[in-house]
Amino acid sequence: MHTSLTLTHARVVTPDGVHDGWLRVEDGRVAALGTGTPPTGPTRDVGGGWVAPGLVDTHIHGGAGHAFPDADPEGAREIVAFNRARGVTSLVGGLVAASPEATLRQVSALAELCETGELAGIYLEGPFIARSRCGAHDPELLRDPDTSEFDRWLKAGRGHVRMITVAPELPGALELIRAAVSSGVVAAVGHTEATYEQTLAAFDAGATVATHLYNAMRPLGHRDPGPIAASLRDERVTVELITDNVHVHPGAARLVFDAAGAARVSLVTDAMSATGLGDGEYTLGDLRVRVSGGEARLVDTGAIASSTIVLPQAVRNTVRDLGVGAPAAVRSASSVPAAALGLDGVGRIEIGGHADLVLLSEDLAVEGVMYRGRWTADGAA
């Protein structure tokens, strides 16, 4: 049964601001927002805590011992359940560079989970990325952009491929970006040696996202500004940011918020299968990864390999270590990523919208999670 409930003494984070008062949930939807005396019926006093929209992770590869590239439906469901219990109510399943045959199999498997509503879409991080900036992708599996291969993914994805990362300097990259955009797929710039000018050309071709800014891309230089400066200055672009305090120093991360504004910053985890399990050895795609102190690195090269955080941790780090206000940080983990990928009906608290809600304490600890009007967890993260 759906929960019919009024949350009282709440600070509700909406797309337009913070609503102080109460929120009514009926039939799995947000029925009303108000102040003063709440409607009659069951209530829950949240004691002045935050009521946030369910968080949206658009760049995540795994968790709880499972990985989306495994193309294992049950394992993928475990990733979804693990995140949902911690306040991340919408996920886009992230793939890494793989062979053409493996990629088709992976896309097809995840499309089934999209059709049942368990995933919000599919994200392809590669294989059309730069070898010199491959990060935790197997360089032997990288290749130049190929619109024919991309079309095969679209067919296998049955309308659920949401985003693809491309290195703009590769032969055929701009053609691939245009093909993606014309097919309704968001094109992102990342894992790239692109110059400032090449990056702007990708944005002019239709790319609208910068993949985990700073990481796996040509660095910022005062005579060679590269993709970082191009992404920060272009108002058409949403920039992903991993605020685990490993991928990006808080000082550099704060510069992103100052330069782009919170409305263009999308907090992501880039999380891998080790998330939630602790230190040890794991795999990402076919590559071995060692996690020590929560930090994941490739065994062979020492390169940073994904993160081991969940999105509420990224929100807390953004507020605590960057000095960003809680409402802005919450939106950067909900409505901003949802809008960047065109995900309708998620990441926002609005009348008539899905009752995907997260109760957060003053220090942003998760105290309750509601998905489609049903409680799924209390105090899970």
Side-chain angles (χ1 to χ4, degrees):
M1 297 290 292
H2 285 107
T3 300
S4 293
L5 179 69
T6 301
L7 303 176
T8 62
H9 298 111
R11 288 180 289 174
V12 183
V13 181
T14 73
D16 303 319
V18 177
H19 170 82
D20 293 304
W22 51 263
L23 178 151
R24 179 69 177 170
V25 173
E26 294 178 358
D27 298 323
R29 302 273 178 174
V30 176
L33 293 167
T35 58
T37 303
T40 58
T43 63
R44 175 169 174 172
D45 189 333
V46 301
W50 299 101
V51 177
L55 304 187
V56 180
D57 199 342
T58 55
H59 187 154
I60 175 173
H61 300 290
H66 303 281
F68 290 121
D70 294 340
D72 172 24
E74 287 308 311
R77 291 187 182 98
E78 289 291 327
I79 301 169
V80 172
F82 172 83
N83 277 271
R84 190 173 292 167
R86 289 154 179 79
V88 188
T89 55
S90 298
L91 285 79
V92 175
L95 301 176
V96 296
S99 69
E101 299 77 18
T103 302
L104 277 176
R105 184 177 67 252
Q106 294 163 352
V107 169
S108 181
L110 295 188
E112 294 180 15
L113 297 172
C114 295
E115 288 170 350
T116 60
E118 292 161 286
L119 287 177
I122 303 165
Y123 163 48
L124 291 147
E125 187 180 15
F128 305 145
I129 57 178
R131 283 174 173 259
S132 60
R133 297 289 176 181
C134 63
H137 296 258
D138 186 343
E140 298 305 313
L141 294 171
L142 304 184
R143 44 203 182 268
D144 288 341
D146 182 335
T147 56
S148 296
E149 184 173 1
F150 178 71
D151 287 341
R152 291 193 289 273
W153 298 340
L154 290 182
K155 193 171 296 183
R158 303 189 290 280
H160 298 293
V161 175
R162 284 286 183 176
M163 183 166 70
I164 180 170
T165 290
V166 181
E169 72 276 16
L170 296 179
L174 297 187
E175 181 184 359
L176 192 287
I177 288 170
R178 294 187 188 100
V181 173
S182 67
S183 301
V185 176
V186 173
V189 168
H191 286 275
T192 177
E193 287 284 6
T195 65
Y196 180 85
E197 291 76 16
Q198 287 171 322
T199 306
L200 289 181
F203 297 149
D204 287 340
T208 54
V209 171
T211 300
H212 46 47
L213 200 75
Y214 292 120
N215 296 111
M217 60 176 58
R218 189 187 195 105
L220 177 67
H222 67 292
R223 295 190 185 93
D224 180 15
I228 296 171
S231 301
L232 291 176
R233 67 150 284 199
D234 198 313
E235 296 290 335
R236 299 169 293 183
V237 177
T238 300
V239 293
E240 292 183 349
L241 193 61
I242 306 171
T243 53
D244 62 350
N245 294 340
V246 174
H247 281 75
V248 182
H249 187 283
R254 177 66 208 214
L255 285 177
V256 175
F257 277 89
D258 291 341
R264 287 208 292 123
V265 179
S266 172
L267 296 180
V268 297
T269 63
D270 195 15
M272 63 171 293
S273 61
T275 305
L277 298 185
D279 292 349
E281 285 207 8
Y282 303 88
T283 58
L284 181 62
D286 294 327
L287 302 180
R288 293 167 57 219
V289 176
R290 181 176 295 116
V291 177
S292 177
E295 184 174 319
R297 290 186 177 271
L298 292 184
V299 172
D300 291 340
T301 67
I304 292 177
S306 296
S307 84
T308 61
I309 64 169
V310 288
L311 205 49
Q313 290 174 271
V315 172
R316 288 194 291 272
N317 291 346
T318 299
V319 174
R320 182 192 63 208
D321 301 323
L322 276 62
V324 174
V330 165
R331 292 188 196 100
S332 285
S334 54
S335 59
V336 174
L341 266 65
L343 305 179
D344 295 328
V346 301
R348 303 166 64 90
I349 294 177
E350 54 192 359
I351 305 303
H354 291 300
D356 296 347
L357 308 173
V358 184
L359 306 186
L360 300 172
S361 66
E362 182 65 31
D363 61 359
L364 302 177
V366 175
E367 297 189 325
V369 181
M370 179 180 284
Y371 178 72
R372 300 301 195 261
R374 296 180 175 91
W375 292 113
T376 65
D378 281 284

